[in-house]
Amino acid sequence: MEAIGHDLRQMQRTPLHAAHVEALRRIGLEASFAEGQVIAEIGQPMDQFLYVEEGEIEILHPYSRQRGLASTLGPTQFTGEIAFLAGGVYALPMRAVRDTRAIAVPREAMLRLMSEVPELSDIVITVYAARRRLQLEQRATGLTLIGTDQDSDVRRIEEFAGRNRIPVRAYDLDCSEARAIAVECGIAPGEPAVIFGQGGVIAAPTPLKVAQRLGLDLRAEPGEVFDVIIVGGGPAGVAAGVYAGAEGLRALVIEDMAVGGQAGTSSRIENYMGFPTGISGADLVWRGEVQAMKFGTSFAMPRRVIQLSQAEDGLFCVTLDCTAQICARALVVATGVQYRQLAIPGLEYFLGKGVYHAATELEARRCRNATAIVVGGGNSAGQAAMFLSRSASHVHLLVRGGTLATSMSDYLSSRLAADPAITIHYNTSIASLQGGDCVQGVEIAKTDGASDRIDCCGVFIMAGAAPNCGWLSGLVRLDEAGYILTGAAAGRSALFETSQPGIFAVGDIRAGSVKRVASAVGEGSVVISEVWRYLAECGKLAASG
């Protein structure tokens, strides 16, 4: 199955062309580092691109300060990884092995050069993506989690990092590695902790605090106005971010948890054109995020929009959960839908303790060689059941209706029926959840009145969806089910424009949309032409410079 990048250990290194190096020299400065000099520390902004001309640079272990990776960077190589595009920070320290001379290019100048020279951009981004893949595989990072097996706050950080392709080192509370790290960092052994760098313990950890440490949070100048704000980082929102950046618009994508949205919880998508061996939803959208960042689109996460208003000058202003307000000349709503919270006693208590709304590698590890239950009859539920069947001893798929024919792709339902590790229960729902600190079993109920108990380690709920429109403050018209009306249904000539000029809606949140990843990507791509036309007709393109 496709992943986020090539295997760096198997890649044939492609040096930058001589013309590329000369371009770097024109916009950069010469930088020199003495043998043993630390070039970057954990948490330091990744604000310059270093192209090595002479010498050698090594990556250090975040705590021991010994060499952390076997390979080093020498002449014709360059520093950085994907975090450079987002304006993130170094997750590992670097040191000069011997006297080193490099060309140092400020980040903003380097991004402009990459946008102007696609051949240069291709080389750099290919290497950056491969380095991120290596970091994930080898857990090469200064972000360390202790207590993922017992502490719900630490598990939330692990989920946030996993869904956003952020490398972490995660350890159970009582393992020898966790005790050694506690000693190295000067903290009490046996206590849950989130650590970024030596001694960098994050008190009362939350995904937002981690994002702030990593440089992923909102970055906007006071009074800054964007051309377009895109609310939602699923396939539709990220596609809109790609095309907005490519068209030269100053764009911001706001996502409340993880880029990928509901599609990011899908372990395997096989019917998306161009990926014949399949790709996970998170990997697919992560690639789009990298494309968008390459074109200058900004991302802010985890941030939730809680209110929308329109100022007297026509700007659309979104209020975030941190009370900050960000304004733009146009708005694209791509918030998608949320899985409905089923009326099951104890559901809220067990969320994150055996009840999940995603089926990724992280959740699959918790169900290894045990029984798992998936609730739902759509493609996402079917994909989850297939994915979990590789590691779980058995998977039970609970379907409220009497057939999958109207809700699931035929190729997927056929595979489920043929897989001996999966049992499909039709006309079945969960009556109750059972367990102490975590889920240990469920009681199922059938429409004919029969009931039964299934022992399990995890319940994956992917049943039904509800629109996420409460924050729109009544500025746009909705249909009876709460989805956003666009085009002719909203009295507009543009297909994706809502009843409020300047506000557009794409993806699953739009009334009448086809609830598929490919459709969402298509709508997100096309809507930017309508946004651009709206800004041009209102004379706002000139105002944005």
Side-chain angles (χ1 to χ4, degrees):
M1 188 168 69
E2 296 284 349
I4 63 175
H6 299 300
D7 188 334
L8 187 64
R9 294 157 295 192
Q10 298 177 4
M11 287 172 58
Q12 182 177 355
R13 186 159 65 87
T14 303
L16 299 183
H17 304 315
H20 298 160
V21 178
E22 286 305 311
L24 295 177
R25 208 182 307 278
R26 287 194 296 271
I27 61 175
L29 298 172
E30 184 173 299
S32 298
F33 307 96
E35 178 181 339
Q37 180 179 348
V38 173
I39 297 173
E41 284 285 6
I42 291 178
Q44 179 180 327
M46 199 176 290
D47 55 7
Q48 63 179 359
F49 178 92
L50 292 178
Y51 177 83
V52 181
E53 294 195 290
E54 292 181 3
E56 185 179 10
I57 296 173
E58 64 181 344
I59 308 299
L60 302 180
H61 187 278
Y63 306 117
S64 71
R65 310 294 287 190
Q66 301 300 311
R67 180 171 293 181
L69 296 176
S71 58
T72 60
L73 300 178
T76 76
Q77 293 182 286
F78 47 85
T79 62
E81 53 98 25
I82 286 296
F84 177 82
L85 302 180
V89 304
Y90 288 97
L92 290 168
M94 296 190 305
R95 181 172 61 199
V97 178
R98 48 195 174 91
D99 290 350
T100 298
R101 181 170 57 84
I103 303 172
V105 181
R107 173 178 169 271
E108 293 298 332
M110 185 63 193
L111 292 179
R112 284 195 298 272
L113 181 62
M114 289 172 63
S115 68
E116 296 165 0
V117 186
E119 296 82 7
L120 168 65
S121 178
D122 291 345
I123 295 172
V124 172
I125 289 179
T126 299
V127 172
Y128 278 1
R131 286 177 180 170
R132 175 59 65 90
R133 172 176 170 173
L134 185 67
Q135 283 184 281
L136 288 165
E137 291 175 349
Q138 296 191 357
R139 302 193 302 171
T141 176
L143 181 59
T144 302
L145 313 181
I146 297 176
T148 54
D149 58 329
Q150 294 187 24
D151 189 90
S152 58
D153 288 339
V154 180
R155 278 199 300 269
R156 286 181 64 209
I157 305 302
E158 185 181 32
E159 179 186 359
F160 170 75
R163 291 189 59 188
N164 285 290
R165 298 301 185 259
I166 298 169
V168 298
R169 303 193 310 159
Y171 300 99
D172 289 347
L173 196 60
D174 297 323
C175 72
S176 59
E177 293 92 340
R179 290 193 293 273
I181 292 170
V183 172
E184 289 175 348
C185 296
I187 62 176
E191 294 292 331
V194 176
I195 309 164
F196 189 50
Q198 193 165 19
V201 177
I202 301 176
T206 64
L208 177 57
K209 287 184 178 180
V210 171
Q212 290 171 334
R213 291 289 186 96
L214 296 175
L216 300 176
D217 190 26
L218 176 67
R219 290 184 302 277
E221 298 296 328
E224 181 178 3
V225 175
F226 290 86
D227 290 316
V228 58
I229 288 177
I230 302 159
V231 184
V238 172
V242 171
Y243 280 81
E247 293 298 324
L249 299 180
R250 180 80 173 95
L252 171 68
V253 179
I254 301 174
E255 171 55 44
D256 69 349
M257 178 55 182
V259 172
Q262 197 175 74
T265 67
S266 178
S267 55
R268 187 180 180 93
I269 299 173
E270 290 188 82
N271 58 354
Y272 190 85
M273 189 183 71
F275 296 94
T277 59
I279 186 170
S280 75
D283 286 349
L284 176 66
V285 184
W286 187 85
R287 291 179 176 216
E289 180 186 4
V290 171
Q291 282 180 289
M293 289 189 296
K294 179 185 76 170
F295 288 124
T297 294
S298 300
F299 285 77
M301 63 178 182
R303 289 295 188 184
R304 178 181 290 272
V305 176
I306 60 174
Q307 186 178 0
L308 172 66
S309 61
Q310 187 172 22
E312 292 183 0
D313 58 4
L315 293 178
F316 298 104
C317 300
V318 295
T319 302
L320 306 181
D321 48 6
C322 60
T323 71
Q325 192 175 72
I326 308 295
C327 298
R329 300 173 178 89
L331 185 80
V332 173
V333 183
T335 47
V337 294
Q338 303 171 348
Y339 287 118
R340 294 185 186 276
Q341 292 293 345
L342 302 182
I344 302 173
L347 178 63
E348 186 173 347
Y349 171 78
F350 284 115
L351 281 175
K353 303 175 183 178
V355 173
Y356 311 104
H357 289 295
T360 66
E361 292 286 353
L362 179 63
E363 292 82 17
R365 290 202 304 268
R366 297 170 183 163
C367 292
R368 191 173 302 280
N369 300 319
T371 299
I373 292 176
V374 178
V375 181
N379 276 7
S380 57
Q383 290 158 354
M386 290 297 301
F387 176 69
L388 293 168
S389 68
R390 302 175 201 161
S391 54
S393 59
H394 199 83
V395 178
H396 294 271
L397 177 62
L398 310 186
V399 182
R400 181 177 293 274
T403 179
L404 293 172
T406 59
S407 59
M408 186 180 294
S409 297
D410 180 68
Y411 82 91
L412 190 53
S413 60
S414 298
R415 288 185 185 178
L416 294 172
D419 194 327
I422 299 173
T423 299
I424 305 175
H425 303 262
Y426 293 106
N427 302 307
T428 303
S429 60
I430 294 180
S432 65
L433 299 165
Q434 300 165 0
D437 293 335
C438 61
V439 167
Q440 296 173 321
V442 302
E443 181 182 356
I444 61 173
K446 293 185 173 290
T447 54
D448 62 5
S451 63
D452 197 2
R453 174 188 163 91
I454 301 177
D455 293 330
C456 65
C457 69
V459 178
F460 298 80
I461 298 178
M462 299 176 175
N468 180 17
C469 292
W471 58 275
L472 287 169
S473 310
L475 284 181
V476 303
R477 288 172 50 199
L478 311 177
D479 69 5
E480 293 181 355
Y483 292 89
I484 300 174
L485 294 171
T486 60
R492 312 299 302 169
S493 58
L495 180 59
F496 301 114
E497 192 167 24
T498 69
S499 57
Q500 172 63 56
I503 299 181
F504 303 81
V506 291
D508 290 1
I509 195 65
R510 189 177 70 84
S513 66
V514 178
K515 307 300 189 279
R516 289 290 186 268
V517 171
S519 176
V521 171
E523 292 190 9
S525 305
V526 173
V527 71
I528 294 303
S529 63
E530 296 186 3
V531 171
W532 196 94
R533 189 180 305 116
Y534 165 79
L535 294 175
E537 291 175 351
C538 296
K540 295 182 178 181
L541 279 176
S544 67

